[in-house]
């Protein structure tokens, strides 16, 4: 897996994947020729016969499988997920089931999946395929809940089994029988697929390759597949997923090659996002969109290599690690662990030059150093306990300047296996954020669709307050960028704690600069709820009632029905002792 010993997880089926932590997503298809992203056929309503003509000129002579795989390796990625067929229905492999494929329909005439399979095998990278199993704008009988080719085909004449049995399953069989072991199949946009067909496809894949993992987007019924693919660019919150999970992420704001989108993430931004994801126990699947010539755009390649250099210095803190044992998201970085080690990933722009303070590590620390420091110079530290609060405090003296670029990892070697205090605890910085997934959520009022009344739920948190005083309470919401605020909270939220009750119509009081996991297309918004005074430190309770609190165990989801607003947390900001 990596250069170092990796800690195998309890579930051997997904262990290679959870240990890998970082993968390369590749959106490459015929659409690259138009340089307007992978939805161009749908967006421009290009007739099938017109779209097919693109194949006649598709000749990515510069495609070099070994170079792509080397780039993934240089970036520190352990697996590749490539679009074998996207929504346009064009197979990027030699398919006998449908001549609309790269070998039979283009002058290129080569099978890039075969070449990638060989290059991956040689380099020790796991090859995985993306397959659009429900949307196929080329096939007359594919049928999705919403996004169909209605400019060529009549919805009423569609007979889904003809597509399912005649193209989707035969092509999946080809992918699973002609390219060696496939690490995982990445399905997408399952809207409208019945539960029976979802189960059928899972059984079909496992029947051909039992070890091939399947992502949750195989179905919009919750709980299917081996692990959870979050929404596009959605970073999970701690406590949100009980199963292994990943964030599929763009490097700009698009998947397929486009010249229109030049909003690129810097290497530093990617490193911070990677650290945020793995600190919560997730994987990051980072996308590139190759050109019609068959190259990965140099700007993407440069950034990936820079990320890889950082990973090489810090690989012990990444591959095979577990996410943070602490439920609170750290505003200055993240924590990962492996047996006998705790790694604190500190953003350089939040460098606590006067010392790093961590709460909740019960157990003796033997040595602390910066992971990127080749000499591993020991840092002075002190461990103390506040018995009354049951607060275990570790204070580390840091060098005046960070030892690494972008994010510096502080490695703690433990003299004994730590027993972490997993109570949601205020950080030394004073930050205390009550994230919704950390609450127990109960139903207060059923929804009444006929009367237009939504369900009302209550979230309840228990937390450890270290610094008593007066706090400003803020609601943190992620608002979709294309939404206007008025109407997003149709009724007041009700907050109760220690005898105080605040009833507020949340206002859009400004953007929140302190929500590292919020990503495009969402904007983090703060809404002031009022002030509360806690006179005593220790364990407290807080409840919040809102119709925007979602069912914590829904039956199904459609990944791109991104909510207009997501209620994410209550933040407590100390304003007075
Ligand atoms: O529609 C696709 C989109 O083109 C892209 O493949 C992403 C990647 O996660 N998935 C779908 C939208 O969620």
């Amino acid at each position: 897996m990596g250069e170092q010993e990796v800690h195998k997880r309890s579930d051997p089926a997904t262990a290679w994947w959870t240990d890998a932590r970082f993968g390369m997503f590749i959106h490459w298809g015929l659409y690259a020729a138009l340089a307007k992203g992978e939805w161009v056929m749908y967006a421009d309503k290009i007739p099938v016969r017109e779209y097919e003509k693109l194949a006649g000129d598709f000749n990515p002579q510069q495609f070099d499988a070994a170079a792509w795989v080397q780039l993934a390796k240089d970036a520190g990625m352990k697996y590749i997920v490539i679009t074998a067929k996207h929504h346009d229905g064009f197979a990027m492999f030699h398919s006998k089931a449908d001549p609309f494929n790269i070998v039979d329909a283009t002058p290129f005439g080569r099978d890039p999946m075969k070449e990638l399979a060989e290059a991956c095998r040689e380099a020790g990278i796991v090859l995985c395929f993306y397959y659009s199993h429900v949307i196929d704008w080329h096939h007359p009988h594919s049928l999705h809940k919403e996004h169909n080719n209605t400019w060529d085909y009549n919805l009423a004449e569609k007979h889904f089994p003809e597509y399912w049995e005649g193209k989707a399953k035969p092509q999946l069989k080809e992918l699973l029988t002609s390219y060696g072991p496939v690490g995982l199949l990445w399905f997408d946009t399952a809207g409208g697929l019945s539960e029976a067909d979802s189960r059928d496809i899972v059984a079909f894949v496992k029947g051909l390759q039992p070890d091939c993992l399947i992502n949750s987007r195989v179905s919009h019924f919750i709980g299917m597949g081996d692990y959870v693919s979050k929404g596009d660019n959605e970073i999970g919150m701690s406590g949100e997923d009980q199963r292994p999970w990943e964030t599929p992420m763009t490097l700009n704001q698009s998947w397929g090659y486009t010249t229109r989108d030049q909003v690129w993430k810097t290497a530093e931004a990617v490193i911070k996002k990677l650290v945020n994801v793995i600190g919560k126990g997730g994987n990051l699947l980072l996308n590139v969109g190759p050109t019609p010539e068959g190259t990965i755009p140099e700007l993407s390649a440069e950034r990936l290599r820079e990320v890889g250099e950082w990973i090489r210095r810090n690989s012990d803190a990444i591959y095979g690690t577990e996410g943070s044992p602490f439920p609170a998201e750290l505003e200055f970085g993240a924590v990962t662990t492996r047996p006998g080690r705790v790694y604190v990933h500190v953003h350089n722009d939040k460098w606590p030059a006067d010392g790093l303070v961590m709460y909740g590590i019960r157990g003796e620390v033997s040595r602390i150093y910066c992971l990127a420091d080749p000499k591993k110079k020991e840092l002075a530290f002190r461990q103390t306990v506040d018995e009354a609060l049951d607060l275990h405090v570790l204070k580390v003296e840091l060098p005046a300047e960070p030892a690494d670029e972008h994010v510096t990892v502080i490695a703690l070697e433990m003299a004994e296996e730590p027993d972490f205090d997993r109570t949601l605890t205020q950080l030394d910085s004073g930050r205390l954020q009550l994230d919704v997934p950390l609450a127990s959520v109960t139903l207060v009022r059923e929804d009444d669709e006929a009367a237009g009344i939504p369900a009302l739920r209550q979230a309840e948190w228990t937390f450890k307050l270290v610094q008593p005083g007066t706090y400003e309470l803020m609601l943190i919401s992620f608002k979709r960028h294309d939404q206007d605020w008025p109407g997003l909270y149709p009724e007041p939220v009700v907050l109760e704690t220690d005898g105080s009750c605040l009833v507020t119509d949340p206002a859009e009081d400004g953007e929140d600069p302190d929500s590292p996991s919020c990503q495009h297309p969402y904007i983090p918004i703060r809404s002031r709820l009022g002030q509360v005074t806690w006179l005593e430190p220790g364990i407290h309770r807080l409840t919040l009632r809102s119709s925007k609190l979602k069912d914590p165990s829904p039956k199904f989801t459609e990944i791109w029905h991104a909510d207009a607003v997501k209620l994410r947390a209550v933040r407590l900001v100390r304003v007075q002792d």
Side-chain angles (χ1 to χ4, degrees), residues 27 38-39 86-87 130 186 188-189 217 232 255 559-560:
H27 275 69
E38 75 287 359
W39 272 72
H86 204 266
H87 307 337
Y130 171 111
W186 214 95
D188 206 0
T189 57
R217 292 199 196 181
D232 295 347
W255 301 97
I559 214 78
W560 62 30

